[in-house]
Amino acid sequence: MKHETHQNQIISAKLFNSQRYIHSLIVYFLFFGSGLVIGISLTFYLKDVPITLKKKLFTIQPSPPLIVPPKSRPPPSPPLNQEQGVTMNNNIKRKIPGVGRIGLTDYIKPPEAMHDMMDDELIWRASMVPKAKIFPFNRTPKVAFMFLARGSLPLAPLWERFFKGHEGRYSIYIHSQPSFKGDAPEEGPIFHARRVPSKRVDWGEFSMVDAERRLLANALLDMSNERFVLLSEACIPLYNFTTIYTYIMNSTKTFVESYDEWGPVGRGRYNSQMTPWVTIEQWRKGSQWFELDREIALDMITDTKFFNLFKDFCRPACYSDEHYLPTFVTMRYWWKNGNRTLTWVDWTKGGPHPTKFARTEVTRELLHQMRTGIQCMYNGEPTSMCYLFARKFLPSALDRLLKFAPKVMMFG
């Protein structure tokens, strides 16, 4: 009995020792496996670490000495280079070394009138419109005076007196025939380099509308131009610059003459192939000489629907310069148009061309009649100041106009 009990004790001891051995072996493999996984992970991590960083990780770096800069001397500024970039901040220009262009300086600078852009490139460039309504720079709104001329401006000395002293509130653009060689001794410095790249324009042809759009697109390149007036080389101002500038800039309306003419020179020029895009009830006629704001000017130069429609179906004896813009503005901007022109013209003698005024026909009475001869509405109020410009004056009238300008038009 004792012998059997002793054997059982021996067996139990062996089993206990075996269990301790297995448990130790399991613990050993767990520690070994964990160390192996950590080692492999650390190896892959260190492969992606630059050598310089490894040195920093495993090398104890001595602390850098503490350097206290002297209080009496500020750190030196970098040297300035006069040929390097310019930036603007609160209208202060400062040079930035190593920078070619920065800020708005070059972007807001009025571009040169002459350039190498084709019409489609010009319109694409001019149609870029900022959505932000607040300008981040000081800006004086300007009136763009756009002259559609055959060659030179024979009445330039009168206009020069008109513009004198008002720099920064106007821009000048001249569209002459490509055949014009630039010989214009009567034109003063303010007209120099103000001609835009042009193409041939024929009276009564659609090329007239092309030229108007070309002038508008060039004027739109200047971000400060807010209002746009189309004139000819035979136009004169009827008031001084301040009066005209204030009248245009304060107006709540644009000025495109537009009316429904039932006769042969009105609805009689309508082409039924324009239906349904333009119906005969929407067809309008008006003076070529307009005044637009920036919104309508942008819409006009980018318009393709009505532009191509008139180009295809309004040909002599349909004159697009008398119908395209009046119809376009009435259909799209009827609510902001004054439905009248700012340019006085005498059509009383009939025919396709207005009355021309030579030297002997220019009198104080004539100019007074142009200035106050009719009644119209301005910003909802009646006024006798309806026309700001007049035509058609021959070069021989220049000396008489210069004589009357100080007393009648109050300039010069």
Side-chain angles (χ1 to χ4, degrees):
M1 185 69 178
K2 290 181 179 182
H3 178 71
E4 184 177 352
T5 301
H6 178 71
Q7 286 183 342
N8 289 336
Q9 290 176 349
I10 293 174
I11 293 172
S12 297
K14 287 182 178 181
L15 289 173
F16 177 76
N17 290 334
S18 298
Q19 289 175 350
R20 288 185 60 189
Y21 175 78
I22 293 172
H23 181 266
S24 299
L25 187 63
I26 291 173
V27 172
Y28 170 80
F29 276 112
L30 285 175
F31 276 106
F32 177 80
S34 300
L36 183 62
V37 171
I38 293 173
I40 293 173
S41 301
L42 187 60
T43 300
F44 279 105
Y45 170 77
L46 291 176
K47 282 184 179 180
D48 297 328
V49 177
I51 296 176
T52 55
L53 182 57
K54 292 179 182 178
K55 291 181 179 180
K56 290 182 180 180
L57 290 174
F58 299 105
T59 305
I60 298 175
Q61 300 291 339
S63 300
L66 180 63
I67 300 176
V68 180
K71 295 182 179 180
S72 60
R73 185 176 60 187
S77 301
L80 299 180
N81 186 342
Q82 295 299 320
E83 296 182 356
Q84 290 172 334
V86 179
T87 186
M88 293 183 67
N89 185 14
N90 296 328
N91 297 322
I92 299 176
K93 295 183 179 180
R94 56 190 177 87
K95 302 290 181 178
I96 304 297
V99 179
R101 281 184 58 181
I102 191 169
L104 293 174
T105 306
D106 293 332
Y107 188 74
I108 65 176
K109 181 181 178 181
E112 299 293 334
M114 189 58 65
H115 51 75
D116 61 354
M117 287 185 284
M118 303 296 290
D119 280 357
D120 56 345
E121 297 171 328
L122 170 66
I123 289 175
W124 179 83
R125 173 64 182 85
S127 63
M128 294 183 180
V129 182
K131 291 187 176 181
K133 301 300 182 182
I134 300 177
F135 291 87
F137 55 90
N138 290 338
R139 171 180 173 273
T140 300
K142 296 191 293 187
V143 177
F145 293 83
M146 308 179 300
F147 292 89
L148 184 57
R150 293 181 177 86
S152 66
L153 302 179
L155 303 178
L158 180 69
W159 283 102
E160 203 161 355
R161 292 189 183 185
F162 169 79
F163 288 121
K164 185 177 181 180
H166 301 284
E167 293 75 14
R169 294 200 289 170
Y170 68 86
S171 301
I172 297 174
Y173 303 89
I174 308 170
H175 187 293
S176 297
Q177 294 283 26
S179 58
F180 176 66
K181 303 303 180 183
D183 184 18
E186 68 275 17
E187 295 180 6
I190 65 169
F191 297 104
H192 293 172
R194 298 315 304 162
R195 280 178 167 77
V196 303
S198 61
K199 291 184 180 181
R200 179 182 173 86
V201 178
D202 295 309
W203 182 85
E205 299 288 342
F206 195 78
S207 57
M208 194 77 75
V209 177
D210 280 325
E212 294 173 4
R213 282 169 40 118
R214 199 172 295 122
L215 278 167
L216 279 173
N218 278 280
L220 283 166
L221 294 178
D222 188 339
M223 301 286 291
S224 294
N225 287 332
E226 281 292 329
R227 308 296 288 241
F228 306 82
V229 179
L230 182 67
L231 304 162
S232 77
E233 75 271 22
C235 286
I236 66 166
L238 292 175
Y239 296 88
N240 59 45
F241 182 88
T242 301
T243 301
I244 290 179
Y245 178 87
T246 303
Y247 190 101
I248 291 176
M249 296 303 300
N250 290 343
S251 174
T252 58
K253 301 286 187 179
T254 57
F255 298 96
V256 177
E257 187 179 50
S258 176
Y259 57 92
D260 187 4
E261 171 64 60
W262 282 71
V265 296
R267 288 196 177 194
R269 295 175 178 175
Y270 174 75
N271 190 328
S272 59
Q273 291 181 279
M274 291 185 169
T275 306
W277 301 279
V278 176
T279 66
I280 194 169
E281 291 79 17
Q282 295 168 321
W283 181 256
R284 292 294 183 271
K285 183 183 178 180
S287 171
Q288 175 186 7
W289 314 106
F290 60 75
E291 187 278 327
L292 301 177
D293 63 9
R294 196 170 184 92
E295 180 185 16
I296 299 179
L298 281 164
D299 201 9
M300 179 182 171
I301 69 164
T302 54
D303 167 53
T304 56
K305 176 182 177 181
F306 298 102
F307 180 81
N308 291 326
L309 196 66
F310 276 79
K311 187 175 183 179
D312 291 337
F313 301 119
C314 182
R315 300 176 180 178
C318 176
Y319 305 115
S320 292
D321 58 289
E322 295 181 359
H323 295 281
Y324 166 67
L325 189 59
T327 303
F328 176 80
V329 170
T330 301
M331 293 183 66
R332 296 177 66 91
Y333 298 97
W334 58 269
W335 49 273
K336 67 184 303 184
N337 185 40
N339 285 342
R340 62 183 177 92
T341 178
L342 295 179
T343 303
W344 187 96
V345 182
D346 180 14
W347 290 99
T348 58
K349 294 183 179 180
H353 300 286
T355 302
K356 298 179 181 179
F357 298 98
R359 180 184 182 278
T360 57
E361 296 168 304
V362 178
T363 63
R364 291 185 182 184
E365 291 73 24
L366 175 66
L367 296 174
H368 182 73
Q369 177 189 353
M370 294 174 177
R371 286 161 52 98
T372 59
I374 66 169
Q375 290 284 319
C376 62
M377 300 296 291
Y378 175 77
N379 289 351
E381 298 292 334
T383 179
S384 61
M385 187 178 175
C386 302
Y387 296 111
L388 305 183
F389 313 97
R391 66 188 304 266
K392 193 171 185 181
F393 291 85
L394 298 177
S396 63
L398 177 61
D399 61 338
R400 299 273 286 185
L401 290 168
L402 292 173
K403 177 183 177 180
F404 293 135
K407 298 178 181 179
V408 179
M409 286 93 87
M410 303 298 174
F411 67 86

